[in-house]
Amino acid sequence: DWMKDFSGYVADMLDDGIQALIYAGDVDFICNYLGNKAWSYQLEWSGGDEFRAADEHEWNGAGLARTANGLTFLQVYDAGHMVPSDKPKESLDMLQTFLNGESF
Protein backbone atom coordinates (compact mmCIF):
# COMPACT_ATOMS: atom_id res chain seq x y z
CA ASP A 1 0.00 0.00 0.00
CA TRP A 2 2.13 2.87 -1.32
CA MET A 3 1.12 6.46 -1.87
CA LYS A 4 0.60 7.48 -5.48
CA ASP A 5 -0.05 10.98 -6.74
CA PHE A 6 -3.28 11.07 -8.73
CA SER A 7 -3.72 14.84 -8.54
CA GLY A 8 -2.97 15.23 -12.24
CA TYR A 9 -5.91 12.98 -13.08
CA VAL A 10 -8.21 14.97 -10.81
CA ALA A 11 -7.05 18.25 -12.37
CA ASP A 12 -7.62 16.87 -15.88
CA MET A 13 -11.11 15.67 -14.94
CA LEU A 14 -12.01 19.05 -13.47
CA ASP A 15 -10.64 20.84 -16.55
CA ASP A 16 -12.83 18.54 -18.68
CA GLY A 17 -15.94 19.58 -16.71
CA ILE A 18 -16.25 16.48 -14.53
CA GLN A 19 -17.21 17.47 -10.99
CA ALA A 20 -15.34 16.11 -7.98
CA LEU A 21 -16.09 15.79 -4.29
CA ILE A 22 -13.24 15.43 -1.80
CA TYR A 23 -14.41 14.71 1.75
CA ALA A 24 -12.72 13.85 5.01
CA GLY A 25 -13.78 13.35 8.60
CA ASP A 26 -12.31 15.91 10.97
CA VAL A 27 -11.31 13.25 13.52
CA ASP A 28 -9.66 10.95 10.97
CA PHE A 29 -6.15 10.15 12.18
CA ILE A 30 -5.25 8.08 9.11
CA CYS A 31 -5.95 10.62 6.36
CA ASN A 32 -6.48 13.81 8.31
CA TYR A 33 -8.72 16.49 6.90
CA LEU A 34 -6.01 19.16 7.13
CA GLY A 35 -3.81 17.25 4.70
CA ASN A 36 -6.73 16.61 2.36
CA LYS A 37 -7.72 20.26 2.55
CA ALA A 38 -4.15 21.36 1.78
CA TRP A 39 -4.04 18.95 -1.16
CA SER A 40 -7.25 20.39 -2.59
CA TYR A 41 -5.93 23.96 -2.23
CA GLN A 42 -2.65 23.11 -3.97
CA LEU A 43 -4.30 21.31 -6.88
CA GLU A 44 -3.23 23.00 -10.11
CA TRP A 45 -6.16 23.32 -12.52
CA SER A 46 -7.95 26.05 -14.45
CA GLY A 47 -10.47 26.73 -11.64
CA GLY A 48 -7.95 26.57 -8.80
CA ASP A 49 -7.73 30.31 -8.14
CA GLU A 50 -11.51 30.59 -7.80
CA PHE A 51 -11.63 27.51 -5.58
CA ARG A 52 -8.97 28.92 -3.24
CA ALA A 53 -10.79 32.27 -3.13
CA ALA A 54 -14.19 30.71 -2.39
CA ASP A 55 -15.60 31.04 1.11
CA GLU A 56 -16.00 28.08 3.42
CA HIS A 57 -19.55 27.68 4.64
CA GLU A 58 -21.59 25.40 6.87
CA TRP A 59 -23.25 22.53 5.09
CA ASN A 60 -26.42 21.16 6.74
CA GLY A 61 -24.82 21.47 10.18
CA ALA A 62 -22.77 18.40 9.26
CA GLY A 63 -19.61 19.95 7.93
CA LEU A 64 -17.70 22.80 6.39
CA ALA A 65 -17.73 23.08 2.59
CA ARG A 66 -15.84 25.01 -0.08
CA THR A 67 -17.03 24.77 -3.67
CA ALA A 68 -16.02 26.40 -6.94
CA ASN A 69 -15.88 25.37 -10.59
CA GLY A 70 -16.93 21.79 -10.01
CA LEU A 71 -14.70 20.97 -7.03
CA THR A 72 -16.08 20.60 -3.51
CA PHE A 73 -14.05 19.94 -0.40
CA LEU A 74 -16.16 18.87 2.58
CA GLN A 75 -14.87 18.54 6.14
CA VAL A 76 -17.35 16.24 7.90
CA TYR A 77 -17.77 17.00 11.59
CA ASP A 78 -17.13 14.27 14.17
CA ALA A 79 -16.30 11.62 11.57
CA GLY A 80 -13.23 9.44 11.41
CA HIS A 81 -11.62 7.52 8.55
CA MET A 82 -14.85 5.71 7.69
CA VAL A 83 -17.17 8.68 7.29
CA PRO A 84 -20.16 6.58 6.15
CA SER A 85 -19.88 4.37 9.25
CA ASP A 86 -19.53 7.32 11.62
CA LYS A 87 -22.10 9.58 9.95
CA PRO A 88 -24.45 7.43 7.83
CA LYS A 89 -27.27 9.97 7.44
CA GLU A 90 -24.90 12.82 6.66
CA SER A 91 -22.97 10.62 4.22
CA LEU A 92 -26.15 9.72 2.35
CA ASP A 93 -27.13 13.41 2.21
CA MET A 94 -23.63 14.24 0.96
CA LEU A 95 -23.74 11.65 -1.82
CA GLN A 96 -27.28 12.55 -2.86
CA THR A 97 -26.34 16.23 -2.99
CA PHE A 98 -23.30 15.48 -5.14
CA LEU A 99 -24.95 12.94 -7.45
CA ASN A 100 -28.01 15.12 -7.97
CA GLY A 101 -25.82 18.08 -8.90
CA GLU A 102 -27.13 20.17 -6.03
CA SER A 103 -25.02 22.82 -4.35
CA PHE A 104 -23.17 22.37 -1.12
Side-chain angles (χ1 to χ4, degrees):
D1 199 23
W2 298 97
M3 293 187 336
K4 295 180 183 178
D5 182 5
F6 289 97
S7 60
Y9 296 112
V10 175
D12 288 345
M13 289 171 47
L14 289 165
D15 284 334
D16 287 341
I18 299 170
Q19 295 187 1
L21 168 64
I22 312 288
Y23 67 92
D26 64 2
V27 292
D28 183 346
F29 293 106
I30 298 169
C31 300
N32 69 76
Y33 83 94
L34 293 171
N36 284 293
K37 188 179 208 178
W39 175 87
S40 70
Y41 288 178
Q42 294 172 5
L43 189 62
E44 294 185 26
W45 59 292
S46 61
D49 289 338
E50 290 86 0
F51 177 78
R52 287 182 284 279
D55 290 329
E56 291 183 331
H57 57 275
E58 287 288 324
W59 178 72
N60 290 353
L64 194 61
R66 175 184 301 254
T67 301
N69 295 323
L71 177 61
T72 296
F73 177 81
L74 180 62
Q75 170 190 337
V76 182
Y77 296 146
D78 300 318
H81 190 65
M82 299 301 294
V83 173
S85 293
D86 296 332
K87 295 291 184 170
K89 180 193 176 308
E90 294 83 348
S91 295
L92 180 59
D93 291 346
M94 172 187 70
L95 288 175
Q96 288 177 329
T97 298
F98 179 71
L99 294 173
N100 290 329
E102 298 168 2
S103 62
F104 282 84

